[in-house]
DNA sequence: CTGAAAGCGCTAACAC
DNA sequence: GTGTTAGCGCTTTCAG
């Protein structure tokens, strides 16, 4: 167990001198610095991160809270966070929650326990007030949702606006009967989308045209079959992820449903698959969302940031 | 800054007693236990993880080293690891490397610094010998590649065998001229695949039929165009990921190339997209790979484990 | 059952 | 420039 004291002793200097060269502090004579460096190498010494963290009171790492890892949307957010973290010399601790409340609280507990310097929450299931209880003075929490708060930081896409835009685009194209494929009904982002959907005027919507639990391609296939079994069908579906839209589209091909003649599809994300399959999609800049979330964690001051969406017209509307 | 000592003082007991109730140790009288618990709640006290880690010499977390986060293969591995880690009460530290050598070494440095209790390496770029230099007595390193080693642990898919099987399947189907789409040429897994490809007898292969840098759908599109520009074309392509095969397939549709008549495709992964698009694919159980990797990190004893692949015949061969 | 005290390994204020 | 030393907050012998 070779520690800083041993290095100091064998190098014939004090621990503080060793600490200074370790941390690149000034005021160390060149010859001492050199002998310390040599001793470190000779003893094959490495700092103990936990001791450093304890002493410094921070860990240079940030926790990322997300429900699933195998969904492109979260993969991209994570990638964006990772890119910025790498630049800033931060590391990521992952809290994959499956929207399980205790698993999510775990991440917040880690914050209080000073295991992470801050938290980026890509999506959550716990109540905001509950979560606020875990706040620690200067340890930022960034949420990827539209939020007004003194204490929390928020990077988001205006899903209310994006949904409104989707609907007005469909309306312009002459569609009236509109259905929806959505991940879940709870959660700020989903609620914003739902609200926009329900409040929009001049279209026909029905509860049985709203399909929830749509995450993967398979869900898209399932929804198309359900759509076929409907007595009264919507003419078009707004789909909150490209993966699901891809499932819908390909199942439609198999079942002889013409897109967009029988059913139009307007999707969100604009990931490569939508371009590949010619799916009209509204880009949600998830990678940028991740990047921005990390920057917001790092920088003091900014507490709120909106990212813009872009419509890509292709062949499914 | 409410710490264990303060809790002890206000509860009127010693720090060790507080520590005992904190850690659920036996031999604490019920009334003391209760008063400690109450004081903890009253003072809104939380343990400092870094102090615990320092004192215990372990962090209950494992580092995961992988090149990219937005590739389904790695997403699934990560998901598998996360599932098992959750069960075991471990946390994940992410080291996303982009196959950048220093970024990868960072993870190994963290191991030496006792920031993680072990490492799971999904894919690496550094030399094995170099990495071994970072080994710490009892801190396991699990690599997702075929490896014989006393010190390292290995969970893998036999890519040599899987490739051989792919080729013999194609051969049975009457194909002779075979090309290859592969991620990269270096790396144990890729080398195993390449070796199987080169050593296989009775088929025609050419260097210009080997396409590297194939990760995403877009790469598949690109490769199809390159294939079209070839004077002499292979009749079939073995593709090391469904995403890339999907790109090839859809670009083929756009360019009027018939699959499998003009070009057959045999892919790896068997992720949902291959089922969706009817791509013949050899299942690589990446989720299980992740799960198994974590178990191997945790359990003493087992040092080597192979996972089997399964062929799913569909419409592209 | 309980407490005192010796670490765990490092940082940084302070004195020289 | 350099060394001494008091923390950082917790765990865990060891003695009682």
């Amino acid at each position: 167990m070779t520690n800083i004291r041993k290095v100091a002793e064998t190098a014939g200097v004090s621990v503080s001198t060793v600490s200074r060269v370790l941390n690149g502090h000034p005021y160390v004579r060149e010859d001492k610095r050199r002998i310390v460096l040599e001793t470190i190498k000779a003893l094959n010494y490495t700092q103990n991160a936990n001791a450093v963290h304890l002493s410094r009171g921070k860990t240079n790492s940030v926790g990322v809270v997300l429900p699933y890892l195998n969904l492109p949307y979260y993969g991209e957010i994570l990638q964006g966070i990772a890119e910025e973290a790498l630049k800033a010399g931060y590391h990521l601790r992952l809290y994959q929650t499956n929207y399980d409340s205790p698993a999510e609280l775990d991440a917040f507990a880690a914050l209080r326990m000073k295991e992470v310097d801050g938290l980026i929450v890509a999506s959550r299931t716990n109540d905001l007030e509950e979560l606020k209880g875990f706040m620690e003075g200067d340890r930022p929490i960034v949420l990827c949702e539209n939020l007004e708060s003194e204490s929390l930081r928020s990077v988001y896409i205006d899903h209310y606006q994006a949904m409104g835009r989707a609907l007005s685009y469909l309306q312009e194209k002459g569609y009236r009967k509109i259905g929806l494929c959505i991940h879940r009904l709870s959660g700020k982002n989903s609620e914003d989308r739902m609200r926009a959907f329900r409040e929009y005027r001049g279209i026909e919507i029905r509860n049985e045209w709203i399909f929830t639990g749509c995450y993967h391609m398979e869900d898209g296939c399932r929804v198309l079959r359900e759509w076929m079994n409907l007595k009264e069908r919507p003419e078009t579906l707004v789909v909150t992820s490209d993966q699901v839209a891809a499932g819908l589209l390909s199942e439609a091909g198999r079942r002889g449903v013409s897109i967009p003649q029988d059913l139009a599809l307007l999707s969100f994300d604009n990931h490569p698959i939508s371009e590949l399959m010619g799916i009209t999609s509204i880009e949600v800049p998830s990678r940028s969302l991740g990047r921005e979330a990390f920057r917001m964690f790092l920088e003091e001051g900014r507490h709120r940031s909106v990212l813009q969406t872009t419509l890509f017209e292709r062949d499914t509307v």
Side-chain angles (χ1 to χ4, degrees), chain A:
Chain A
M1 217 62 343
T2 151
N3 57 22
I4 197 175
R5 200 165 55 244
K6 183 129 151 216
V7 173
E9 281 165 13
T10 51
V13 299
S14 75
V15 281
S16 30
T17 299
V18 177
S19 176
R20 285 192 189 98
V21 343
L22 242 26
N23 296 293
H25 288 179
Y27 308 131
V28 180
R29 224 168 51 209
E30 197 43 38
D31 55 333
K32 295 226 175 194
R33 153 168 276 112
R34 194 155 39 230
I35 194 175
V36 167
L37 256 15
E38 279 162 13
T39 322
I40 285 175
K41 185 162 289 177
L43 262 42
N44 195 19
Y45 163 80
T46 321
Q47 270 175 304
N48 178 311
N50 297 125
V52 175
H53 295 163
L54 173 58
S55 191
R56 280 222 182 83
K58 55 175 302 206
T59 61
N60 255 258
S61 64
V62 37
V64 180
V65 180
L66 34 67
Y68 312 110
L69 288 164
N70 54 346
L71 251 40
Y73 174 71
Y74 294 109
E76 287 290 329
I77 290 185
L78 193 52
Q79 175 83 27
I81 296 173
E83 284 172 13
E84 290 296 311
L86 188 63
K87 281 191 216 162
Y90 271 78
H91 284 298
L92 263 33
R93 259 177 99 83
L94 216 53
Y95 297 91
Q96 199 254 30
T97 66
N98 293 308
Y99 283 133
D100 175 49
S101 168
E104 193 174 297
L105 290 176
D106 228 45
F108 284 80
L111 185 71
R112 289 213 47 194
M113 296 176 74
K114 306 198 194 318
E115 212 167 351
V116 292
D117 297 346
L119 236 36
I120 295 175
V121 182
S123 187
R124 70 183 162 89
T125 188
N126 278 289
D127 199 68
L128 212 52
E129 288 312 309
E130 167 114 22
L131 297 181
K132 275 187 182 166
F134 287 86
M135 293 226 26
E136 277 280 322
D138 58 331
R139 298 180 179 254
I141 300 180
V142 183
L143 295 163
C144 298
E145 63 188 74
N146 187 349
L147 200 76
E148 296 203 47
S149 161
E150 285 291 296
S151 46
L152 302 167
R153 311 188 182 180
S154 152
V155 195
Y156 67 101
I157 278 111
D158 190 335
H159 290 284
Y160 183 87
Q161 181 203 286
M163 176 59 79
R165 178 182 189 175
L167 295 174
S168 77
Y169 175 71
L170 290 171
Q171 201 175 28
E172 275 169 32
K173 291 285 181 177
Y175 298 100
R176 284 290 168 277
K177 301 173 168 197
I178 303 184
L180 184 63
C181 282
I182 198 165
H183 296 180
R184 50 174 194 162
L185 290 174
S186 58
K188 188 69 173 71
N189 291 337
S190 297
E191 285 164 10
D192 286 349
R193 277 192 285 251
M194 277 306 292
R195 201 158 42 80
F197 188 70
R198 297 222 119 103
E199 290 178 1
Y200 200 87
R201 294 295 150 222
I203 59 171
E204 182 183 347
I205 65 176
R206 297 192 187 186
N207 283 336
E208 66 264 35
W209 295 350
I210 296 176
F211 303 89
T212 58
C214 295
Y215 293 94
H216 303 280
M217 292 181 173
E218 304 87 287
D219 299 316
C221 301
R222 182 199 84 216
V223 167
L224 190 103
R225 292 191 298 270
E226 291 181 18
W227 174 85
M228 290 181 77
N229 289 332
L230 248 27
K231 267 166 295 214
E232 295 261 4
R233 299 171 180 166
E235 308 154 340
T236 175
L237 245 29
V238 175
V239 186
T240 55
S241 109
D242 284 337
Q243 301 291 307
V244 177
L248 276 155
L249 183 56
S250 81
E251 186 73 10
R254 247 169 271 133
R255 305 269 167 172
V257 174
S258 305
I259 309 285
Q261 291 77 17
D262 301 333
L263 177 66
L265 298 174
L266 175 51
S267 158
F268 282 83
D269 280 351
N270 192 43
H271 283 170
I273 196 171
S274 64
E275 186 177 356
L276 207 72
M277 300 186 71
I279 299 169
T280 298
S281 189
I282 294 181
E283 180 178 82
V284 173
S286 40
R287 178 92 60 114
S288 307
L289 190 65
R291 288 201 204 98
E292 185 70 0
F294 185 84
R295 283 189 223 115
M296 194 149 284
F297 151 74
L298 209 52
E299 296 165 21
E300 219 50 55
R302 289 192 308 139
H303 269 49
R304 208 129 183 286
S305 169
V306 201
L307 300 185
Q308 295 308 317
T309 55
T310 319
L311 172 66
F312 287 80
E313 300 194 67
R314 288 194 271 255
D315 318 323
T316 57
V317 172

